[in-house]
């Protein structure tokens, strides 16, 4: 996903303007012009100069606004890549209500089916992988992984 | 002598030693599987070290990374695919040796040179660090400000992409470090009214996002099947190795020292050390025409240099708290989480810890010989693990790892968002090293800058008034001038090339 430098530079310039705007409300030390806003102001200024430099070189380069790299083309590839954020977001929203031991084998099994194309093998590996990570984190390191639906069953 | 014995005693306790051996095995696995880099391995190790005491935690990171840098050579020689970027410099050379039927010799040389380079790096660390620390005890906020800024500027200078992108990457890191309570007045900054952000952005999810999520995205998009590795005779890995290395002893010594120094430069790590050592050994070689045809001299030099760089990177990290590469940046994050602030005071107050770190390094480098042999033996099996199984499981590990440090799902969001942004940035040639260095150093830079400017009452010349501080300041400004000059020169040259091409 190669963007034209002008586009990225524009984003940085916008970001720096937002920061400069946000720090105006910060207090300063009594009788001194400095305060919590000083350092962010300096960074935002540098960011703005850098962003403008990128915009300048991007406009001169006449490169297309957005180029998808060859290896990222194809709906199958994008589909597999979309699974990464999809997996994480699904975990964030579902792990508490459903619980780690029930959700993760299904989620991991589905993802493995997408990457390997072999559902049975994916299911076995998902079960083993979930078990191993549960053992490591919940049992050895005492991380409170959510039990979800199983809470009532166990307690 | 007592201190040395105590240090080794601490590290050789059964529990600590077990963790070091387990981390070594993990490092060998990470290093020998292409696509899993030493930095990514360290980032994935951090959630576990969170639950360990400081010495085993550092031991785990040191052992895992030492092993990973060597193990990266294994698939390089067997399959012509470097296991970690640090092995890329001599992958072709090693593969040529395989074609000549000398794969065992290549791997044996890699292993022994990695150990020698690592030990030379440790020696440099042990000799130099306390001396530099003693000098830097007199540093005030001015010196620290310049030193941190010089470190960050070096990180931009050595990154291969355009300096402007390096600077912008740095700015993102610094901005991320300002989130939370500010160091001067305790005001909440950029928290967006979110209570989770008051304590600042947690390091662990950022690290995992930057170094693991990005790699997972790339690997899931491009599933690759590794070719079958050739059989390896372990016996042949031992014979002839000693004489080969003895033949190029000058190169080993030069590259090990060079590697330590390059490692100590902020931002330049094992991969850059390997490239430079390889290039230099070709330049100084009696038979440079043999390079690229399966000649061991380049391998000898570069594989000593990359392991030496790993140890060298700890010099500025321990003495000043300024990381020498991305791995030590992560290590400093771990130390800060443990309530240890790296800096010259550590050498005065916590000599036990410093000696234990030295001991871990020596033990890890010596362990590399037996464990390395075992890894080469097991590499056929390890390399046959299909990558399309590996990466979904690593993703699950990332999610739990990001969650585990603070037990909050908010950190999983942080990991995802940082990972996606870092992916887009890397696709556009933004280097990530300045960003992570800036995130770790941000608070140090700001605190010392604010202290200095308040002390100086706004007089910027005060920043140059002290001899060491002034020198560092001038050096930093000179580096900036060089950076700006170089990028203007490059822009002018490409413009000229474009206009003559029309």
């Amino acid at each position: 996903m190669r963007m034209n430098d002008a586009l990225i530079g524009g984003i940085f310039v916008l970001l720096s303007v937002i920061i400069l705007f946000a720090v105006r409300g910060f207090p300063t030390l009594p009788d001194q012009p400095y305060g919590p806003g000083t350092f962010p102001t300096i960074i935002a200024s540098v960011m703005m100069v850098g962003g403008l430099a990128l915009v300048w070189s991007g406009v001169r380069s006449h490169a297309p606004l957005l180029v998808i790299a060859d290896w990222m083309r194809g709906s199958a590839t994008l589909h597999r890549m979309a699974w990464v954020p999809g997996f994480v977001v699904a975990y964030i929203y579902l792990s508490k209500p459903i619980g780690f031991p029930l959700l993760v084998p299904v989620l991991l099994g589905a993802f493995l089916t997408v990457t390997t194309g072999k559902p049975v093998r994916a299911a076995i590996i998902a079960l083993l992988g979930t078990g191993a990570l549960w053992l490591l984190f919940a049992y050895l390191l005492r991380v409170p992984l959510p039990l979800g639906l199983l809470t009532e069953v166990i307690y | 002598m007592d201190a040395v014995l105590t240090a080794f005693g601490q590290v050789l306790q059964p529990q600590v030693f077990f963790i070091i051996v387990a981390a070594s095995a993990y490092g060998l696995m990470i290093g020998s599987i292409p696509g899993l880099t030493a930095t990514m391995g360290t980032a994935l190790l951090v959630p576990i070290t969170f639950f360990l005491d400081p010495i085993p935690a550092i031991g785990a990171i040191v052992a895992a990374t030492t092993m990973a840098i060597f193990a990266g050579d294994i698939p390089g020689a067997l399959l012509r695919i470097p296991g970690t970027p640090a092995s890329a410099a001599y992958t072709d050379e090693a593969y040529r040796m395989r074609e000549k039927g000398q794969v065992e010799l290549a791997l044996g040389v890699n292993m022994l040179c990695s150990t020698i380079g690592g030990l030379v790096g440790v020696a440099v660390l042990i000799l130099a660090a306390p001396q530099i620390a003693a000098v830097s005890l007199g540093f005030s906020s001015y010196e620290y400000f310049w030193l941190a800024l010089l470190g960050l500027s070096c990180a931009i200078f050595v990154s291969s992409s355009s300096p402007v992108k390096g600077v912008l990457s740095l700015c993102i890191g610094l901005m991320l470090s300002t989130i939370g309570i500010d160091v001067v007045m305790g005001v909440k900054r950029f928290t967006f009214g979110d209570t989770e952000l008051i304590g600042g952005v947690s390091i662990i999810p950022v690290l995992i996002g930057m170094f693991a999520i990005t790699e997972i995205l790339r690997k899931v998009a491009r599933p690759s099947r590794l070719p079958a590795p050739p059989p390896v005779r372990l016996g042949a890995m031992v014979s002839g190795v000693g004489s080969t290395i003895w033949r190029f002893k000058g190169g080993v010594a030069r590259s090990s020292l060079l590697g330590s120094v390059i490692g100590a430069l902020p931002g330049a790590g094992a991969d850059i050390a390997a490239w430079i050592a390889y290039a230099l050994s070709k330049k100084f070689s009696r038979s440079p025409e043999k390079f690229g045809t399966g000649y061991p001299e380049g391998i000898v030099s570069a594989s000593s240099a990359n392991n030496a760089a790993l140890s060298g990177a700890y010099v500025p990290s321990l003495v000043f708290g300024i990381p020498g590469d991305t791995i030590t940046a992560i290590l400093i994050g771990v130390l800060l989480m443990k309530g240890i602030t790296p800096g010259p005071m550590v050498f005065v107050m916590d000599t036990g810890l410093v000696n234990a770190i030295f001991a871990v390094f020596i033990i890890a480098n010596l362990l590399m010989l037996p464990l390395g042999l075992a890894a080469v033996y097991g590499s056929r099996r390890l390399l046959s693990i299909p990558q399309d199984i590996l990466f979904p499981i690593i993703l699950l590990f990332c999610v739990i790892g990001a969650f585990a440090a603070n037990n909050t799902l908010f950190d999983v969001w942080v990991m995802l968002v940082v990972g996606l942004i870092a992916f887009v940035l890397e696709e556009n040639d933004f280097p990530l090293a300045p960003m992570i260095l800036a995130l770790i150093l941000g608070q140090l830079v700001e605190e010392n800058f604010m202290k200095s400017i308040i002390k100086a009452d706004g007089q910027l010349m005060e920043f140059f008034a002290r001899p060491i501080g002034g020198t560092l300041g001038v050096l930093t400004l000179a580096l900036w001038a060089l950076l700006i000059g170089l990028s203007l020169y490059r822009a002018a040259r490409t413009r000229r090339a474009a206009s003559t091409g029309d």
Side-chain angles (χ1 to χ4, degrees), chain B residues 117-138:
Chain B
L119 288 174
V120 172
V122 182
V124 170
L125 173 67
I126 293 175
L127 292 176
Q131 309 298 330
I132 304 176
V135 175
S136 60
L137 272 176

Side-chain angles (χ1 to χ4, degrees), chain B residues 7 13 60 77 84 101 136 146 166 245 275 303 310 314 318 335 345 357 367 451 471 474 500:
Chain B
Q13 273 172 25
T84 65
S136 60
W146 283 122
I245 294 179
W275 283 110
S303 61
L310 206 57
Y314 282 74
L318 287 177
L335 286 175
M345 282 314 277
I357 295 178
L367 269 178
K451 266 189 208 162
T471 315
V474 170
T500 50

Side-chain angles (χ1 to χ4, degrees), chain B residues 78-101:
Chain B
L78 294 179
L79 306 175
R80 203 182 191 173
I81 305 168
T84 65
S87 306
Y90 47 95
T91 294
D92 273 345
E93 196 82 62
Y95 191 76
R96 288 274 188 293
M97 284 184 75
R98 177 199 153 175
E99 286 176 336
K100 284 189 188 170

Side-chain angles (χ1 to χ4, degrees), chain A residues 34-46:
Chain A
Y34 317 111
T38 311
F39 192 62
T41 307
I42 297 172
I43 306 168
S45 316
V46 175

